[in-house]
Amino acid sequence: MQVPLLDLKSQYAQIKEEVWQSLQEVLTSQHFILGPVVEKFEQAMTRYIGSKYAIGVASGSDALLLSLMAFGIKEGDEVLTTPFTFFATAGAISRLGATPVFADIDPDTYNLSPAAIEKLIQQQYRIEQASPDTPPKADGASGQLVNKKTNRRIKAIIPVHLYGQCADMTELLALARKYQWQVIEDAAQAIGTAYQNKSAGTLGMTGCFSFFPSKNLGAWGDAGLITTDDQSVMELLKTLRVHGGQKKYYHQYVGCNSRLDTLQAAILTIKLKYLDGWQKARINNARYYDQLFRQSALTDQITGPVTKPDRNHTYHQYTIRVLTKRDELKAFLQQHQIGTEIYYPLPLHLQECFKPLGYRQGDCPEAEKAARECLSLPIYPELTKEMQEFVVKTIKDFFKNN
Ligand SMILES: *Cc1c(COP(=O)(O)O)cnc(C)c1O
């Protein structure tokens, strides 16, 4: 039996006719840049996410970049984020000349740890007012954090909702109020995920989504979207995605060319109708893995994903921790035609391109441990019970001889 990590072909077979029809309509209109098809998808997304506004952009990476641009993040600013995420989260910060600051993760959820952030603040920052003539502070604000070594200020935080579960947003939002940070949610892996009674993407100032083909809602190429409840932020983002000019050939800002492609919007509008069903199938698959692992007596070798009680999990990934011989297990599964992946093998604070930031091995021990232990199993909606049984049985076989 072959069990690929992801099988987009079976989903394609389900929706082919309907999507082709909608593509034909765009082709007939020959209207490829923005327009009513993109607006219709943006509207549908505001309803799905529960935000006031949605702005379609070229990718999830650009959603992060444009959000940071909208908040004026620039050279000399610091932005707090997690080292255990896809590169784009920190890449967007660096592209603007700002400095990513990495705090360690919570080992249960793999997301930014509020306690690790507080420890970092105590060790490396002092509190200072923005400037004597800034407007009165928000309720509970105590001032901005200034790095004791570099004198740079933390201006924003990008929590990532990794694998389909939200970060500890209550605590992170309280810190953000206290220290006057903009909150940009990286919800690329968490479309439709709930935190208390709200959706990922409505908790911060902006929510950034990716429709990279392998995401829970995937396009047929690159695509992304930003959600916000703030009208002026929405207007600024719509201007920034068309080179910073509302009126053609007149430019208020230096923006970029980053629009949600109209053909992709047509595809996504159809696929969005199926998303709830696909999410349910992912969750059911996760419950079945949970049950199979409980029965398999592998608790000394493996721990499953942990979901905190005040949020749900939409299983963009079903990620286990393999306490010993993770790489050998991955190779063994590959030999048995089972696809798995390591998200992510090297935390961002140890990436070559961030060497100048001066981080060392041991600076974020939980992220480093997660990078050594994590393994994501196939979890896509069309996965069958027989396939899941084969995956868990093969893992058991491996540990019988190791
Ligand atoms: C996929 C992803 C992105 C980037 O999205 P693209 O659409 O590929 O640019 C950003 N952050 C996280 C956590 C992601 O998983």
Side-chain angles (χ1 to χ4, degrees), residues 7-16 216 271 278 382:
D7 176 12
L8 289 170
K9 286 180 185 154
S10 56
Q11 186 193 72
Y12 175 58
Q14 288 170 53
I15 56 168
K16 188 174 170 178
N216 287 24
K271 289 185 72 171
W278 291 332
E382 297 80 8

Side-chain angles (χ1 to χ4, degrees), residues 136-142 174 177-178:
K137 291 174 288 173
D139 279 352
S142 64
R177 268 193 304 280
K178 191 167 170 191

Side-chain angles (χ1 to χ4, degrees), residues 280-384:
K280 278 196 197 108
R282 282 177 185 270
I283 291 166
N284 287 340
N285 292 346
R287 292 293 80 80
Y288 195 52
Y289 270 137
D290 291 346
Q291 185 192 326
L292 292 170
F293 280 119
R294 264 198 310 275
Q295 293 162 352
S296 69
L298 283 169
T299 45
D300 288 343
Q301 292 91 359
I302 276 171
T303 58
V306 176
T307 310
K308 291 213 177 168
D310 61 347
R311 61 203 82 168
N312 77 348
H313 202 312
T314 46
Y315 297 99
H316 174 58
Q317 300 298 342
Y318 185 93
T319 303
I320 59 172
R321 275 186 193 264
V322 186
L323 306 180
T324 60
K325 302 194 174 164
R326 190 264 321 261
D327 294 341
E328 291 91 328
L329 172 63
K330 185 179 192 312
F332 184 80
L333 292 170
Q334 195 58 54
Q335 279 162 24
H336 292 80
Q337 304 196 315
I338 295 168
T340 61
E341 190 52 278
I342 296 163
Y343 302 108
Y344 296 90
L346 185 64
L348 299 188
H349 66 291
L350 301 176
Q351 294 287 341
E352 190 180 341
C353 65
F354 291 139
K355 260 202 186 131
L357 300 179
Y359 288 93
R360 302 230 172 120
Q361 193 90 35
D363 283 343
C364 297
E366 288 298 344
E368 291 162 29
K369 188 161 183 279
R372 286 192 301 272
E373 295 181 345
C374 69
L375 189 68
S376 297
L377 306 179
I379 190 66
Y380 60 91
E382 297 80 8
L383 195 71
T384 64

